[in-house]
Amino acid sequence: MSRAGGRRAWRRARSRGALVLLAVALLLVACGPAGPEPTPYPTTAPTASPAEGRAVVDRFLAAWADHDYPAMYALLAPADRAAYPEAAFTALYRSMNDLMRVTSTNMSTDTPVSAALPAEPRPLDLPPPATSSPVPNASGLAAGSPAPSVDTTTVLDGPVPALAVPFVAHLSTDRFAVVRLDRTAYLTQAAGGWQLRWNPALVFPGLGAGGTLTLDRQLGTRGRIVGTDGTVWAAQIDGVRSYPQDWLAGQTIGYVSAVTADDLSKLAAKGYLAGDVVGRSGLEYGAEDLLRGSPGWTLSAVPASGPPVTLLHTDMVRGAEVTITLHPGLQATAERGLANHGNGASAVVDPRSGDVWALASAPAFNPNAMTRGTTMSGAPLGRPSYAQIVNKAVLGAYPAGSSFKPFTLAAALKTGVAGPGTRVACPGTWSYNSFTFHNYKDHTLGSNVSLLQAMAFSCNTTYMPLSIKVFEQSPTALTDLVAEFGFGQLTGIRHLVEESGILPDPAYFARTPRGDGTFHEYNGFDQVQLAIGQGSYSGTMLQLASAYAAFANGGTLWTPRIVTAATLPDGTLAERVEPRVTRRVSLTPAQLGYVVQALEAVVNLPYGTGTAAFAGFGLQVAGKSGTAETGTSDPHALFPAFAPAVNPRIAVATILLYVPLGTGGSDAAPLVRQVMARYFHGG
């Protein structure tokens, strides 16, 4: 027999032996007692790559950043969705965002690694292992074998294969700065691929399997408002915001009151809650962020059982003590002067630094009416009116009348249309474009007087035609110079709300229609009106006092300063406000010097409108009266001034509103003298 034939014979014999053995085995199964169940062969499970698992976590985090909670929830494994309803899942993430005040998120994943989770029921969509024997019958099952089990609740033996995906979430928050969460997301496989395994511990481990988040706030004491001399203007007394000086500077100090629902819609992000107070006016409003301080926050996890666990904490910072420049004596003197008239305002500033020494407004206001309901001594207080609360020294914008003539003189000097040797006329009336203007009671000085004499006598009929000469030389020379002195713009005082007033210059009329609704460019008639502080012009007493201080000090316009510092309880400076120059006006020393001489003439010459008010004062005062038309029979009376005329130390501007038969020289100037007397003589 050949070698190939031998191999074929060997294979046939082996096949016959196998068939014999199989027949014997089948006979034993059919006839003998039942043996043990054969070991099942597990059905092949679907597999997905680690990159696909990382992509699932990336989608989860992207949805988190977009607050797309349904998209997040859809990525959870069915078992976790069954354990945590979507409403509870969404509520937890919304609660975290709301309590922490999350403003933005930045999230990233790291390289996945293999992991294992404890044994758990088989996923609903993962086919169970099929029980089989080595030899199937015609139907695909071994004879006598049971059908494959479909019990999906059977707990799998041993750990469940999983994928661990580390991730980092940086949460920018209003209450805890930037919060870094280092977490690991676990995924298991189902028929459709990777599914995210979730419970509240993935947000914060302290939550356990079913905890909630809570937020506690710690609010410190509101800071005091104190003077540089130690005067306490506002403080917490017996838990109530109180104002120890009662009526004094009430409008400037301001008041607080409880937050409203409308307030909370804007302030909740800053930590305000129902029952808190917030500044409503004056420094209480303007320095609110300094006075209130910063609340402390504690975010805690409250597990299903056990004590709360602190997750995040920020320390409370008590309110800063705000130091201000007001002088109680000057403030009291200014207020007493206004009280007799019932309606007016005064501003007192230091021409050497811009410090505000007094801001008085009438009628008077006691901020204790809004918090205590009584004076500090217990006398009942009624509800104040708006007229009492508003600070007319910074929020009241009024025509200036003839107190504006020094700016007209300065513009004439600057443009060269007039000089110290110029002689002018001061007739009783003067006509321009068929309109006749008058001096006060048509008084006249004659046809040949100096500009100093015309200023002292307050000749409209001198300074109106002078303004036209300026206009013809340069149509914007007067308005540009007035702007340099700070009119028509905010002074820049910090922590007080102020009015900018109106400077009716070419730009103003380009955007503002006239009374008939039409637009007309700035013209000579507007110039004439501005020359004497009338027409569309309006300004505050703080602006006027600051501008006169610039005349006094050689051309430096200071930014008014009322707050010098804000100091935290540990001594740290939260804010320091140094004296600051707004600008230097474009007038030469000689030009400024001549304007000052004109202002001195107002209180020196026998017919000066301020002479009687300052007779025997003992120091040379420089100032200018203003009697501003109001559209009624009762004008406003003004008098801005500074003293001494050389090396000045104080500047004051006072207005009395709607004074019957009043004038600046007869009504406002005496009040300015009282303030200056208090400063120089203590009386």
Side-chain angles (χ1 to χ4, degrees), residues 426-513:
C426 176
T429 61
W430 175 74
S431 296
Y432 180 76
N433 283 356
S434 302
F435 190 91
T436 300
F437 296 94
H438 298 262
N439 280 338
Y440 178 69
K441 295 184 178 181
D442 289 347
H443 289 170
T444 178
L445 271 183
S447 60
N448 185 23
V449 297
S450 71
L451 291 170
L452 302 184
Q453 292 171 311
M455 184 70 73
F457 197 69
S458 196
C459 287
N460 294 336
T461 58
T462 296
Y463 281 93
M464 284 179 164
L466 184 63
S467 73
I468 291 298
K469 290 183 179 180
V470 172
F471 182 79
E472 291 169 347
Q473 179 72 20
S474 172
T476 65
L478 177 59
T479 54
D480 289 347
L481 186 62
V482 169
E484 286 188 46
F485 278 91
F487 295 102
Q489 58 203 272
L490 301 176
T491 67
I493 188 171
R494 300 187 65 175
H495 305 304
L496 276 183
V497 178
E498 60 173 332
E499 172 62 52
S500 64
I502 295 174
L503 172 55
D505 59 4
Y508 171 81
F509 285 111
R511 65 178 183 270
T512 307

Side-chain angles (χ1 to χ4, degrees), residues 2 14 33-34 54 65 96 126 134 151 202 300 320 328 358 369 380 417 438 508 527 531 537 566 644:
S2 68
R14 188 178 66 172
R54 184 174 186 175
M96 179 181 66
L126 184 65
D151 181 7
L202 186 62
S300 300
V417 301
H438 298 262
Y508 171 81
Q527 179 98 343
Y537 164 82

Side-chain angles (χ1 to χ4, degrees), residues 567-582:
T567 309
L568 297 176
D570 65 0
T572 302
L573 276 176
E575 180 176 293
R576 179 183 290 280
V577 183
E578 300 288 352
R580 183 166 63 89
V581 173
T582 300

